[in-house]
């Protein structure tokens, strides 16, 4: 084993193969709860009750699996500042857009199946949301936490609705990585993921901030 504990990111669940890979290398594997961000009093992402311990109660009892890190609710000021830094980092934004364009698993973590494959509205076919969001113009469109929050208070339509969806995807991705660093530093944990896109994005974040964190890519994780 390499060190005492590792935090899996950016999700609250992982594939059994990934968990086994981590248990072979660390004494404890830590998991956050599902991240439900509250943007405004009437807009936010939903939370799900599943936890890794539900499927592996023996690991929970033996304390090889640790869970219950709360990352839900409104973003605190420090998190907002950190997310805004990502949103204005052209390198991070380019990595995000490339993942959104090329990585189907990355897409599935941010959007539901209908948004990815397309759907009919009132009998009229329109390009899938994912097709529209792949437009290169989104890569350099300016976003801030405050701006995304303001869009969430309205009922955007058309291009503005697409801007909100793209901005929310940016915010959720960045926030999950910001919380990863905060939890890792607080608990003196390594971090690991089986998502190549998130590994690359967190690597950029660590390089920019100078944080001292062991960041591992789990090659044997879920496809």
């Amino acid at each position: 084993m390499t060190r005492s504990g590792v935090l899996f990111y950016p999700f609250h669940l992982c594939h059994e193969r990934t968990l086994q890979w981590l248990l072979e290398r660390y004494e404890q594997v830590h998991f956050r709860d599902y991240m439900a961000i509250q943007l405004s009093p009437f807009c936010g992402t939903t939370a799900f009750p599943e936890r890794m311990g539900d499927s592996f109660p023996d690991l929970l009892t033996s304390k090889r699996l640790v869970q219950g890190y709360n990352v839900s609710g409104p973003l605190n000021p420090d998190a907002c500042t950190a997310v805004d830094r990502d949103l204005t980092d052209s390198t991070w934004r380019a990595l995000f857009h490339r993942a959104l364009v090329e990585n189907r698993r990355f897409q599935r973590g941010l959007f539901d199946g209908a948004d990815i494959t397309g759907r009919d509205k009132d009998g009229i076919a329109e390009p899938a949301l994912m097709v529209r969001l792949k437009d290169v113009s989104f890569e350099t469109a300016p976003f801030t936490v405050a701006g995304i929050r303001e869009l969430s208070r309205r009922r955007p339509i058309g291009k503005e609705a697409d801007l909100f969806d793209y901005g929310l995807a940016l915010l959720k991705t960045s926030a999950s990585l910001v919380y990863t660093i905060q939890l890792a530093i607080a608990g003196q944990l390594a971090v690991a993921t089986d998502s190549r896109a998130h590994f690359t994005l967190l690597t950029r974040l660590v390089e920019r901030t100078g944080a001292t964190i062991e960041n591992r890519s789990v090659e044997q994780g879920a496809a």
Side-chain angles (χ1 to χ4, degrees):
M1 294 187 182
T2 57
R3 61 184 297 178
S4 59
V6 63
L7 172 70
F8 179 75
Y9 76 94
F11 309 111
H12 66 299
L13 303 173
C14 76
H15 195 281
E16 185 175 354
R17 291 195 302 270
T18 297
L19 178 60
Q20 184 60 40
W21 191 95
L22 294 170
L23 289 169
E24 290 171 358
R25 290 161 176 80
Y26 298 91
E27 293 178 10
Q28 290 184 320
V29 183
H30 297 245
F31 290 88
R32 73 195 71 198
D33 286 342
Y34 184 90
M35 185 179 71
I37 297 175
Q38 183 180 352
L39 286 174
S40 68
F42 303 105
C43 181
T45 58
T46 57
F48 296 93
E50 299 97 333
R51 286 178 165 184
M52 285 298 292
D54 297 339
S55 299
F56 302 95
D58 54 330
L59 293 176
L60 197 61
T61 300
S62 66
K63 298 184 179 180
R64 295 215 62 199
L65 190 156
V66 181
Q67 63 185 18
Y69 294 98
N70 182 15
V71 290
S72 291
L75 295 177
N76 62 44
D78 288 343
C80 288
T81 299
V83 170
D84 276 340
R85 290 195 187 104
D86 283 342
L87 302 191
T88 56
D89 178 349
S90 59
T91 300
W92 192 93
R93 288 286 301 274
L95 292 170
F96 173 89
H97 191 76
R98 180 177 179 180
L100 193 69
V101 169
E102 299 178 356
N103 191 315
R104 189 62 174 266
R105 186 183 178 203
F106 188 75
Q107 296 170 8
R108 292 199 305 266
L110 293 168
F111 301 99
D112 63 32
D115 289 329
I116 296 172
T117 60
R119 58 190 172 194
D120 289 346
K121 290 186 177 180
D122 300 323
I124 301 174
E126 67 173 19
L129 173 64
M130 187 54 55
V131 172
R132 303 196 301 273
L133 297 189
K134 288 181 179 181
D135 190 285
V136 69
S137 64
F138 285 102
E139 182 180 327
T140 54
F143 286 99
T144 63
V145 173
I148 297 166
R149 185 178 288 130
E150 177 58 30
L151 282 173
S152 76
R153 294 190 176 101
R154 306 204 292 265
R155 290 189 176 182
I157 59 174
K159 180 68 172 180
E160 191 175 66
D162 289 348
L163 281 169
F164 173 69
D165 286 327
Y166 193 96
L168 183 59
L170 280 169
L171 188 150
K172 289 193 295 185
T173 302
S174 175
S176 72
L177 301 179
V178 167
Y179 284 136
T180 296
I181 290 180
Q182 290 179 351
L183 291 172
I185 291 175
Q188 296 184 314
L189 302 169
V191 298
T193 183
D194 56 12
S195 166
R196 172 56 63 174
H198 288 95
F199 175 80
T200 302
L201 287 165
L202 186 68
T203 297
R204 169 58 186 169
L205 181 52
V206 168
E207 289 173 348
R208 194 184 70 233
T209 62
T212 304
I213 295 175
E214 177 188 329
N215 184 22
R216 299 287 298 273
S217 176
V218 183
E219 302 299 339
Q220 290 91 338

